[in-house]
Amino acid sequence: MSYLDITRAYQADMGLPAPLSYQIAWGIGAALVLSSVPLARRQGWYLGVLLLGALMIAYKASFIRNGPLIDAAALSLAFLAAAQLWTTESRFFGWGHRAALAGVSIGATFFASQSLVPIWPDGTAFGRIAQDMVTNVRFFVDSAYRDGVQARLQREFTDHLAAMRADMPFKTLTGPVDAFPIDLGTAYALGLPMAPRPAFQAYFATSRLMTERNAAFLASDRAAASILYRPFAIDGRYPALEDPLSRRAFRRYYDLADRQGDWMLLTRRAVPRSENESCASHETKLNADIAVPETAADQALWARVRVQSTGFGHLAGLGLVPPKIGMSVTLASGYTASFRFLQEAGSVGFFLSPMLAIPEADAAFLAGTFRAEDRVTAVRIEAPEGGFLPWFRPEVSVDFCRLSWQ
């Protein structure tokens, strides 16, 4: 169940649009690879499961995580097709099947190498691949060369850590240290003990399981004494949807100790704040404007927005990327901003108001003095544009909860 929870959120929340033609071509190649597995024996079933798992990982790592940058998927497909051609255990339906699989391997290799040419201006892609292979072999067989490379890499690593420490605006911190939403490398460079959240990259902690585990960790005695906080979000998301329960835990267990530019330093409180919650439920539909309740100057508005998938959406979402749901918010000034809405994180709950989209808003929120210009007055959850498959139901359930702390 944990795998399904994380997979559904990852499929829906990660990634950039990838060309459909690439996905279809890759899918045909993957089907040819799987069709060469001998299923007449038990070992063939084991191999089939392993190949399917490897192809799913390659698909997610490229098409879902990085959109048009599908080199990993192409190289994985090329390698697996070549491996099936090489082994004597494969099953082929004549010479045409074998030739098609060879074409898949050659075509995927060519595609990946051509897409990497701009990174290698000093030669052709195939020449650079050969050069890298020679370098890697030399690293293992030539001890003097290997020692020199390792010494150079260690010097570069040490210099990089020193540069990161010099750029850190907070010179005195108490460990253990965590970082939010990412920046864990900066925390590591300080040389202090570390206590990262279980899902330590906020952009990935959008499933209920991961954000709940992070919040439980922050409530425990294992949590960090200091947190380096530098807010931003990826892929046009509404920022508060990334690891939403950790953000809520920060208000209870941490104080804003310092701010330098976009960086903020949170320090753990000796006694957590008490939290009060008052909720009301609403029913609405996709593409309908929803009036957002007003809050006092010391309150924030927590929203649980449940967009339900259809039966087709539940099944297809385990292996395919669902269309992106939109979200627009209107501020007290009348300004309207558009974002991506994350279905799983939205159902868990997130800070809708104030809108935490700039460092000044986050700093005021963490200090407990919310800015009037960041107050959200209306929100609309928008159906995907151009969708012809029934991924989502039109009904939307919303809980608005006023939160205050003492």
Side-chain angles (χ1 to χ4, degrees), residues 161 165 175-177 184-194:
L161 291 183
R165 285 193 296 270
V177 181
L184 206 62
T186 302
Y188 174 81
L190 298 175
L192 295 172
M194 299 185 63

Side-chain angles (χ1 to χ4, degrees), residues 151-165 189:
R152 175 177 58 81
L153 292 176
Q154 184 60 50
R155 288 194 304 270
E156 292 176 355
F157 179 68
T158 302
D159 292 344
H160 185 61
L161 291 183
M164 294 177 71
R165 285 193 296 270

Side-chain angles (χ1 to χ4, degrees), residues 114-346:
Q114 290 298 311
S115 66
L116 293 175
V117 166
I119 304 176
W120 300 331
D122 55 336
T124 65
F126 287 110
R128 185 55 186 266
I129 291 174
Q131 178 184 333
D132 285 348
M133 291 177 64
V134 171
T135 300
N136 291 335
V137 170
R138 184 182 177 189
F139 183 87
F140 284 102
V141 301
D142 187 340
S143 60
Y145 175 78
R146 179 171 61 251
D147 292 343
V149 169
Q150 290 177 331
R152 175 177 58 81
L153 292 176
Q154 184 60 50
R155 288 194 304 270
E156 292 176 355
F157 179 68
T158 302
D159 292 344
H160 185 61
L161 291 183
M164 294 177 71
R165 285 193 296 270
D167 290 340
M168 171 49 56
F170 311 118
K171 303 305 180 184
T172 56
L173 288 85
T174 301
V177 181
D178 192 5
F180 186 92
I182 48 174
D183 288 313
L184 206 62
T186 302
Y188 174 81
L190 298 175
L192 295 172
M194 299 185 63
R197 304 174 311 286
F200 56 84
Q201 293 178 313
Y203 72 83
F204 185 71
T206 57
S207 79
R208 180 178 298 275
L209 175 70
M210 287 186 288
T211 192
E212 284 181 349
R213 288 189 174 180
N214 279 354
F217 177 83
L218 291 170
S220 72
D221 57 5
R222 298 173 292 138
S226 302
I227 296 179
L228 299 174
Y229 188 102
R230 185 170 62 166
F232 68 92
I234 69 169
D235 295 347
R237 300 166 168 183
Y238 193 70
L241 286 165
E242 292 191 340
D243 201 358
L245 294 180
S246 285
R247 293 177 183 269
R248 186 164 174 172
F250 291 154
R251 278 294 294 137
R252 290 201 63 196
Y253 299 104
Y254 290 86
D255 287 323
L256 177 63
D258 195 2
R259 180 190 172 197
Q260 299 291 333
D262 292 347
W263 285 97
M264 300 168 213
L265 175 62
L266 308 184
T267 55
R268 192 163 184 86
R269 294 173 56 88
V271 178
R273 294 182 177 90
S274 60
E275 182 181 85
N276 300 309
E277 179 182 74
S278 175
C279 298
S281 298
H282 302 265
E283 298 296 324
T284 184
K285 292 182 179 294
L286 293 173
N287 298 324
D289 289 325
I290 312 167
V292 174
E294 293 190 10
T295 53
D298 61 344
Q299 291 180 327
L301 192 73
W302 182 263
R304 284 187 287 269
V305 181
R306 292 176 289 277
V307 177
Q308 300 294 332
S309 297
T310 62
F312 167 83
H314 280 298
L315 293 175
L318 294 176
L320 301 176
V321 181
K324 303 298 184 286
I325 305 172
M327 173 181 177
S328 65
V329 296
T330 302
L331 301 182
S333 64
Y335 173 75
T336 298
S338 297
F339 301 92
R340 273 187 60 196
F341 176 77
L342 306 184
Q343 183 185 11
E344 181 79 5

Side-chain angles (χ1 to χ4, degrees), residues 378-396:
V379 62
R380 182 171 68 248
I381 307 301
E382 299 167 343
E385 295 183 0
F388 59 90
L389 295 175
W391 282 88
F392 307 108
R393 299 182 184 278
E395 299 83 12
V396 178

